């Protein structure tokens, strides 16, 4: 920990930042992949949101409520609502000079549960409470990081 005190926090020499950057990159790629998964579902089901998109596939229709497309879109929306919070709180967490083991495990676990959330929600639909457990685990991780940031950055 004393080594981190003398070095820049946001460099590869800080293993906590390196871990944060790695898992954040995975999560960003995952969010991009969700857009592609939505497009794949639209093509597979031949349902599009805009009339001009009908020309992309013969026999397609404009439809706003296809259950398979909407399931993937909701999973993507859930990522959009949760991953940016992790990206911001994780970066602030790195700045708070947390325990290396705690930080790395929180970053890993958050990434795993976000991927599993998508798997149980949009790819292989698993009954509740699987999705809720994945979602709540991610929320708890963000809250833990935020509490640690507040405690470390503001001396009471």
């Amino acid at each position: 920990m004393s080594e981190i005190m003398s070095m820049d926090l946001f460099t590869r020499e800080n293993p906590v930042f390196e871990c944060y950057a790695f898992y954040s990159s995975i999560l960003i790629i995952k969010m991009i992949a969700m857009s592609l998964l939505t497009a794949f579902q639209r093509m597979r089901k031949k349902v599009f949101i805009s009339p001009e998109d009908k020309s992309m596939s013969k026999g397609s229709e404009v439809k706003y409520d296809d259950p398979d497309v909407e399931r993937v879109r909701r999973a993507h929306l859930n990522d959009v609502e949760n991953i940016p919070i992790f990206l911001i709180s994780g970066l602030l967490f790195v700045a708070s000079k947390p325990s290396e083991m705690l930080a790395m495990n929180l970053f890993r676990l958050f990434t795993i549960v976000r991927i599993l959330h998508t798997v149980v929600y949009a790819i292989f639909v698993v009954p509740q409470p699987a999705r809720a457990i994945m979602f709540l685990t991610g929320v708890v991780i963000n809250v833990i990081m935020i509490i640690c940031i507040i405690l470390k950055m503001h001396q009471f």
Side-chain angles (χ1 to χ4, degrees):
M1 190 68 146
S2 62
E3 288 179 28
I4 294 175
M5 302 282 188
S6 63
M7 72 172 90
D8 290 335
L9 289 172
F10 303 109
T11 65
R12 287 192 64 203
E13 285 71 37
N14 179 353
V16 174
F17 177 71
E18 187 175 25
C19 185
Y20 164 80
F22 176 77
Y23 288 106
S24 292
S25 297
I26 290 173
L27 290 167
I28 292 166
I29 289 169
K30 181 208 177 305
M31 287 179 69
I32 293 167
M34 291 303 294
S35 296
L36 298 174
L37 184 58
T38 302
F40 172 78
Q41 278 290 65
R42 288 193 182 287
M43 295 297 287
R44 185 178 75 80
K45 300 291 296 276
K46 296 184 178 189
V47 294
F48 299 96
I49 197 121
S50 301
E52 63 272 13
D53 296 340
K54 283 177 34 174
S55 65
M56 294 176 63
S57 180
K58 192 171 187 147
S60 64
E61 62 182 316
V62 173
K63 192 173 179 183
Y64 302 102
D65 61 352
D66 181 83
D68 297 326
V69 173
E70 288 306 308
R71 180 173 284 279
V72 174
R73 287 186 67 229
R74 286 191 307 270
H76 188 196
L77 179 60
N78 195 276
D79 280 350
V80 170
E81 294 168 347
N82 289 277
I83 291 174
I85 293 168
F86 168 81
L87 296 174
I88 295 165
S89 61
L91 197 58
L92 293 172
F93 191 54
V94 170
S96 74
K97 301 175 189 167
S99 151
E100 189 175 312
M101 189 172 84
L102 174 65
M104 290 178 166
N105 285 323
L106 290 175
F107 298 159
R108 287 179 188 126
L109 185 57
F110 186 87
T111 302
I112 290 167
V113 299
R114 288 312 309 169
I115 292 168
L116 287 175
H117 180 272
T118 297
V119 169
V120 302
Y121 192 19
I123 299 172
F124 303 108
V125 180
V126 176
Q128 286 285 28
R131 186 176 83 238
I133 291 168
M134 298 305 123
F135 169 77
L136 290 173
T137 302
V139 169
V140 168
I141 290 168
N142 275 322
V143 169
I144 289 169
M145 289 192 302
I146 292 164
I147 290 170
C148 289
I149 293 162
I150 291 168
L151 293 175
K152 201 89 172 252
M153 299 296 217
H154 183 25
Q155 303 302 321
F156 290 98

